[in-house]
Structures are given as C-alpha cells and as structure tokens.
Amino acid sequence: MVALLTAGALALAFSLFLTPLFIRLFKRLGWGQFIRDDGPQSHHAKKGTATMGGIIIIIGVLFGYFTAMLITGDRISTAALLVLFMMVGLGLVGFVDDFLKTRKQRSLGLRGWAKVVGQLIVAVSFAVLAISFPNPEGVTPASTAISFVRDLPIDFLVFGTVVGIALYLLWTALIVTAASNGVNVTDGLDGLATGASIFAIGSYVIIGFWQYNQSCFGIVGDDVAYKCYDVVDPLGLAIVAAAIVGALIGFLWWNTTPAQIFLGDTGSLALGGAIAAFAILTHTELLLVFIGGLFVMETGSVIVQRAYFKITHGKRIFLMSPIHHHFELKGWAEVTVVARFWIIGGLLVAAGVGTFYLEWILR
C-alpha cells in the first residue's frame, strides 16, 4: 500500500509542477498542435498549443514507479515492467506521428498503415514477453485463454500449439490496437481523454489491489480459497496504475479547458496501450467493454458514421464523428461535452468494477 500511494504521489507531483517547464520547452522546439481543416471552427483557436504531452506522462510514470520501488524496497515485478513496455512502446509510435505533424506543418503524420504496423510490432512483442516469464508457480503474466472477469474456458491452445499461439498473438494485437485507437479517437477535446483515462486506469488500481488480497499465490482464507485469482503480480499492476493515474491528474491541471498542452498521439496511444495491458494481465479482457466503454462509444461512432456514409452514398448519422464533435456542432459548449462524457465514462467504469466484484460475491 505504501508503494502504491508513493508512486501515485510522486507521479502526480512530477506532472503537476514540471508540466509548465515542458510546455515552454515544447513551444521553443516548435511542437505545436495543428488543427483539422474540416473540424469545428472553434478549434482553430487552439492551433499552436503545445502537444506531445504524453512525454510528460510517460516520464512522470517512470519516475513515480521506480522511485517508489527504490524508497520502499519493494520488488519490481515482471507484470509492471510489461505495462511500462507497452506504454513506452506505443508512446514512441505516437511520438513519431506527432513529430512528423510538427515537421510537415500539417494535421496528419504517419500514414494509417504505418501507424498500425507500429502498434502491431509493440503488441506482438508484448504478447510474446507476457507468456515467456512464468512465476515460481509456473504461471505466466498473460494467459492464452480469453478472459472476462477471469479466464473463460476458451483457450486458444485447444487448436494446437502453433495455431493456438498464432491466435493468441492475433487476439492480443486486436485488443491493443482497439484500445490505443479508441483513446486516440477520444482525444479531441480539452481534457476529455485524460479524464476518461483516469477513470479507466483507476479501476485497475482497485482490481489489482483486490486480486492481490485474494491471490492464489498469497495467503487466502480457506473459506474463500476457491475464489482466488491466479494473476501474476497484481499488486505490481496496481502500483503502476496508481502512478499513471497520479501523472494524469497532475497533467489534467494543464490539459483542461482551455488546454495549455495536449496529449498528442504520444499520450493517447500510450494510455490506450496501458489500458490494454492491464486488461490482458489482470485477465479481464472482455470487461474492457465497460471499463473502456466511453472509448468504445467514440470509436463506434466513427465506424457507424463511415459505414452509413458508404451505404447511403453520402448521408450522415452524426453532424461529425467522433460523436463528441456531433454535440459540439449541435451547440454544446466544449466544457459541457467533456463533463457529460466524463460522467458517462465514470458510470461505465463503475459498472465494470461492479461486475468484477459481483462475480466474486456470487462465485
């Protein structure tokens, strides 16, 4: 618990007090935001605002986590390192995209296929590492089974080792690309993706800590032993989640309306990757439908809009997608859209955590 609180506090202090220094540095480097020409006209006033704020969050998380481990003397866990690997890896993909935007002076950086390739490389690398380092009991951080609140009786290895591993890698890549692109799509209004990510990643502080207290590899009372979780290093996952939440809260101080700095793809892809990693390593993959419900809604609005546009040869369901822009164009103030979407995201996260706990009660 001490390590968890320390990691969160240090990461929060780092992003809260040092973000202004990074803002000045980024502006000096010319790392300013470019705005879509077809977006809401009110957004053009944001042109030139410092971007690549994800760099601050990533550094803050690394500082908070490793410093907390050093202070408390706790063990650095494999599962925690896997989350950090995913976060840094996708952050690098996003950084390349952001850097090309600032260099080319346009709102488009990496081509779509190039960004997906980068995401796939990181996702597959993560997937391989996650089943390569078993704990003393022989259990690896990730499982080849599909999970909801726990692993379901649907294991890819029933198709044989080669096909099963291939399907597992494909499944992991799907989760990672979906989650990272979901946060990326949501990052269109001041503070929207940052606040929504605080709710989503905060849920893994609760889930990880609960799994630690009910771990099959720890001391569990005989009366509830049959309910234990075979998750590797859940406390390490909770500590990393706390560090990310702390960094996000400090960053949100400067990212809320009117934003002085944006996440950029550096931040949105990194956060989406972290959410995917937590879901995979806590064995709660399908629970992402609730925990990442706001991101699902935002991504779904884009998919539905494009599909309807093609089917009807030019008609639209929403004034503009993602759906947060639809409400902007209907006349809602930006801060109103953000606050109401935070409420929706928070309620969906509560439903996810509630479902997680309900399964334990009813089991």
Side-chain angles (χ1 to χ4, degrees):
M1 176 62 81
V2 174
L4 187 151
L5 295 175
T6 303
L10 288 173
L12 188 154
F14 182 94
S15 60
L16 179 62
F17 296 116
L18 295 184
T19 293
L21 299 179
F22 282 98
I23 291 174
R24 288 196 286 271
L25 173 62
F26 292 173
K27 286 186 175 180
R28 188 169 298 177
L29 292 172
W31 292 356
Q33 180 69 28
F34 290 86
I35 306 299
R36 296 168 52 178
D37 292 331
D38 60 342
Q41 291 301 308
S42 60
H43 285 212
H44 288 278
K46 302 179 182 183
K47 185 175 182 179
T49 302
T51 186
M52 301 194 206
I55 295 173
I56 305 167
I57 293 171
I58 292 172
I59 296 175
V61 170
L62 295 174
F63 168 76
Y65 176 74
F66 287 111
T67 303
M69 294 298 98
L70 183 64
I71 292 173
T72 62
D74 284 24
R75 180 178 60 87
I76 296 175
S77 70
T78 302
L81 291 177
L82 284 168
V83 174
L84 295 175
F85 170 81
M86 178 76 83
M87 192 173 187
V88 173
L90 287 184
L92 286 172
V93 175
F95 173 78
V96 173
D97 188 42
D98 286 331
F99 182 76
L100 290 176
K101 291 176 184 177
T102 59
R103 185 178 180 182
K104 296 178 180 179
Q105 300 289 298
R106 63 193 183 99
S107 61
L108 296 175
L110 282 173
R111 294 183 181 275
W113 64 266
K115 187 184 294 187
V116 171
V117 168
Q119 291 171 311
L120 291 176
I121 290 173
V122 176
V124 171
S125 300
F126 167 87
V128 172
L129 292 171
I131 57 171
S132 299
F133 298 97
N135 67 358
E137 289 78 13
V139 180
T140 56
S143 168
T144 54
I146 295 175
S147 61
F148 178 50
V149 173
R150 302 172 189 261
D151 284 345
L152 299 172
I154 308 173
D155 196 319
F156 292 121
L157 292 183
V158 298
F159 298 103
T161 303
V162 175
V163 175
I165 293 298
L167 290 173
Y168 157 74
L169 295 177
L170 183 63
W171 173 243
T172 301
L174 176 63
I175 295 173
V176 172
T177 53
S180 57
N181 287 324
V183 179
N184 186 237
V185 166
T186 305
D187 185 30
L189 299 180
D190 294 356
L192 177 56
T194 304
S197 296
I198 290 172
F199 286 124
I201 296 175
S203 71
Y204 291 109
V205 177
I206 299 171
I207 290 172
F209 195 73
W210 180 260
Q211 289 178 333
Y212 166 70
N213 285 325
Q214 307 296 331
S215 174
C216 296
F217 312 121
I219 300 175
V220 183
D222 292 337
D223 56 331
V224 293
Y226 64 95
K227 296 184 178 183
C228 70
Y229 299 92
D230 59 350
V231 173
V232 175
D233 295 322
L235 181 59
L237 294 173
I239 293 171
V240 172
I244 298 174
V245 169
L248 285 171
I249 292 173
F251 182 79
L252 183 60
W253 182 273
W254 308 100
N255 180 235
T256 194
T257 306
Q260 298 180 48
I261 187 170
F262 298 133
L263 282 172
D265 282 13
T266 308
S268 59
L269 293 185
L271 292 173
I275 291 170
F278 283 125
I280 293 166
L281 298 178
T282 58
H283 301 196
T284 56
E285 296 161 352
L286 297 181
L287 199 63
L288 268 180
V289 174
F290 291 115
I291 291 175
L294 181 64
F295 307 126
V296 173
M297 181 183 79
E298 291 274 15
T299 306
S301 69
V302 175
I303 295 172
V304 169
Q305 179 87 322
R306 290 181 177 178
Y308 188 76
F309 185 85
K310 290 183 179 180
I311 293 172
T312 60
H313 305 290
K315 294 183 179 179
R316 292 177 171 82
I317 295 178
F318 308 109
L319 297 177
M320 185 179 178
S321 66
I323 196 169
H324 56 255
H325 289 318
H326 169 79
F327 290 106
E328 269 196 295
L329 294 178
K330 283 181 69 69
W332 290 18
E334 180 174 356
V335 67
T336 301
V337 178
V338 171
R340 288 175 177 172
F341 274 48
W342 280 353
I343 292 171
I344 293 170
L347 290 174
L348 288 168
V349 167
V353 175
T355 300
F356 173 83
Y357 183 62
L358 184 64
E359 186 273 344
W360 187 86
I361 293 176
L362 298 178
R363 191 174 181 81

